Amino acid sequence: MSSVAGIGLLAGCSAPGTSSNKERVTPVDIRGALYLPTRDFNFYQMWENYSPEIIERDLSYAAQLNLNAIRTWVNYEFWLENPRAHRKAIDHFLSTAADKNINVLFSLFENVGTTPSHENLINTDPQTATPVRSPSLAVVQDKKRWTKPREFVRWFMDRYRDDGRMLAIEVMNEPGWRNDVKKFAKDMFYTLQQYRGAVPLTVGATSLINSVDYLDWGSDIIQFHYNYPSSRNIFRDLLQDYRKISEQVEQPIWLTEWQKVASFGWNNSSQAVEDWYPDYSSLAPLLHKYGVGNFFWSLMLKPAYTIPMRQKGVLNGLFYEDGAVWSLEDARSIKGMSGDRSFSGVERKQWPQWINAIKRPQS
């Protein structure tokens, strides 16, 4: 069956047989986390402020969980300023990850955030700092300005298309339903294909439905995201769909963003929420049971990535900078996907001192 035909089954997927109810004891193949250093608020900052010591420390925390994958972003705007420094930092990141038996999924462009003005790129105020689109919508919407992004794609592929430390190359995160952004992402993906090597190519998809277009483009890996399901049953239903689809297509299917069961979803209210804290153990056992390759958001404990979530008081992540964890049960549940739940460390369920500028949610 063709890949697209397999995805078409989504409309009426039923639960698999009773064997799905058995506890899974074998390791999940892809066990990953999304990564942005604790005090950086966008990926320009990650590379402009690049610290080998911080990267080595943080990836050692990932290794403590038996993670074998990291999903993160390179940055077009930093490359425009200093391609030599960007390459040096990328090489260090890949070497550090490889030393810890971790492969890297790098995304090239980002469709979440505000315009990449200089002010937004460098803002580190926890109350106002924001993720940034990369490139800007002004570039995305003007084909005459795509020459430089294509050059960035070629630059990256010339150096890393056959790099054994790479897990995959993602053209863009969540091009979504906007036709202008999808047209840009499609053009950049075809540039990736022109220079393809041994490393698989993919697209960051918000849902399995979105992945239909990306399979038509030639994506080697199907992605989907589900950060805040309102119940375990809803999440379980999604994973049953995942299992059915995975039996019909050749491409691997990875859940490349997930967090926890939550009451608030993606509504636009800025009202503080009661369940603002991390709770990965609410979903990790299901991911293990269904054997889903996955990446949780995020390795490091920090304010929510997007401003609306931060205004709700949402905190996500696992590790404090000193290696303590928010929740030992979260750490054990995530590590358990490797087949080994053993994890000892310091649990500290306290609002991080360095972000006291944000009003603390009421417990």
Side-chain angles (χ1 to χ4, degrees), residues 283-358:
L283 296 178
L286 280 173
L287 290 166
H288 193 189
K289 175 180 177 179
Y290 283 85
V292 185
N294 67 88
F295 297 75
F296 71 94
W297 189 300
S298 72
L299 180 68
M300 304 306 295
L301 189 75
K302 55 196 291 111
Y305 184 57
T306 63
I307 289 290
M309 285 296 170
R310 212 176 306 156
Q311 289 175 338
K312 298 179 198 296
V314 174
L315 190 69
N316 53 39
L318 183 60
F319 283 99
Y320 292 85
E321 292 172 290
D322 65 0
V325 296
W326 175 268
S327 164
L328 286 170
E329 183 56 30
D330 282 358
R332 290 165 183 158
S333 295
I334 290 170
K335 188 179 180 184
M337 285 188 273
S338 71
D340 175 11
R341 273 182 53 91
S342 63
F343 184 91
S344 60
V346 175
E347 180 179 276
R348 183 189 306 134
K349 292 187 176 181
Q350 297 175 357
W351 191 256
Q353 292 294 318
W354 71 274
I355 49 170
N356 274 344
I358 300 177

Side-chain angles (χ1 to χ4, degrees), residues 91-104:
D91 285 341
H92 175 266
F93 191 95
L94 287 169
S95 295
T96 302
D99 287 345
K100 303 180 188 309
N101 298 313
I102 294 170
N103 289 327
V104 180

Side-chain angles (χ1 to χ4, degrees), residues 20-84:
S20 67
N21 295 322
K22 296 179 181 178
E23 290 298 322
R24 182 181 178 88
V25 294
T26 56
V28 175
D29 289 341
I30 301 298
R31 307 178 305 278
L34 282 92
Y35 178 70
L36 181 63
T38 303
R39 305 204 188 201
D40 294 331
F41 290 87
N42 59 58
F43 292 96
Y44 173 89
Q45 293 175 15
M46 171 176 168
W47 300 104
E48 201 275 334
N49 303 330
Y50 193 83
S51 165
E53 294 77 16
I54 289 175
I55 299 303
E56 291 163 14
R57 179 199 69 195
D58 292 355
L59 293 186
S60 73
Y61 298 155
Q64 291 178 31
L65 301 176
N66 288 348
L67 299 186
N68 60 13
I70 285 289
R71 179 175 177 240
T72 190
W73 281 250
V74 291
N75 184 257
Y76 171 67
E77 284 71 27
F78 183 65
W79 172 80
L80 287 172
E81 293 181 4
N82 198 333
R84 180 177 297 180

Side-chain angles (χ1 to χ4, degrees), residues 204-359:
T206 52
S207 69
L208 287 168
I209 294 293
N210 275 139
S211 296
V212 174
D213 285 346
Y214 311 144
L215 285 174
D216 287 342
W217 297 359
S219 180
D220 299 314
I221 298 160
I222 298 169
Q223 293 191 43
F224 66 109
H225 299 164
Y226 203 165
N227 282 285
Y228 298 116
S230 59
S231 72
R232 283 172 54 88
N233 285 338
I234 288 174
F235 195 70
R236 184 184 291 108
D237 289 345
L238 176 70
L239 298 187
Q240 289 173 345
D241 288 349
Y242 151 85
R243 178 173 286 179
K244 188 69 173 180
I245 297 304
S246 67
E247 294 171 353
Q248 304 295 328
V249 299
E250 296 179 357
Q251 288 87 347
I253 306 176
W254 299 341
L255 175 61
T256 49
E257 290 184 20
W258 67 273
Q259 294 193 48
K260 66 173 187 174
V261 173
S263 65
F264 46 83
W266 288 101
N267 68 70
N268 293 322
S269 169
S270 61
Q271 184 175 352
V273 296
E274 293 183 359
D275 49 345
W276 51 268
Y277 45 83
D279 186 12
Y280 300 105
S281 62
S282 64
L283 296 178
L286 280 173
L287 290 166
H288 193 189
K289 175 180 177 179
Y290 283 85
V292 185
N294 67 88
F295 297 75
F296 71 94
W297 189 300
S298 72
L299 180 68
M300 304 306 295
L301 189 75
K302 55 196 291 111
Y305 184 57
T306 63
I307 289 290
M309 285 296 170
R310 212 176 306 156
Q311 289 175 338
K312 298 179 198 296
V314 174
L315 190 69
N316 53 39
L318 183 60
F319 283 99
Y320 292 85
E321 292 172 290
D322 65 0
V325 296
W326 175 268
S327 164
L328 286 170
E329 183 56 30
D330 282 358
R332 290 165 183 158
S333 295
I334 290 170
K335 188 179 180 184
M337 285 188 273
S338 71
D340 175 11
R341 273 182 53 91
S342 63
F343 184 91
S344 60
V346 175
E347 180 179 276
R348 183 189 306 134
K349 292 187 176 181
Q350 297 175 357
W351 191 256
Q353 292 294 318
W354 71 274
I355 49 170
N356 274 344
I358 300 177
K359 183 178 179 181

Side-chain angles (χ1 to χ4, degrees), residues 178-190:
R178 289 188 56 142
N179 286 331
D180 52 358
V181 180
K182 287 174 68 176
K183 287 178 181 178
F184 171 83
K186 185 176 182 179
D187 186 274
M188 296 303 125
F189 191 87
Y190 285 170

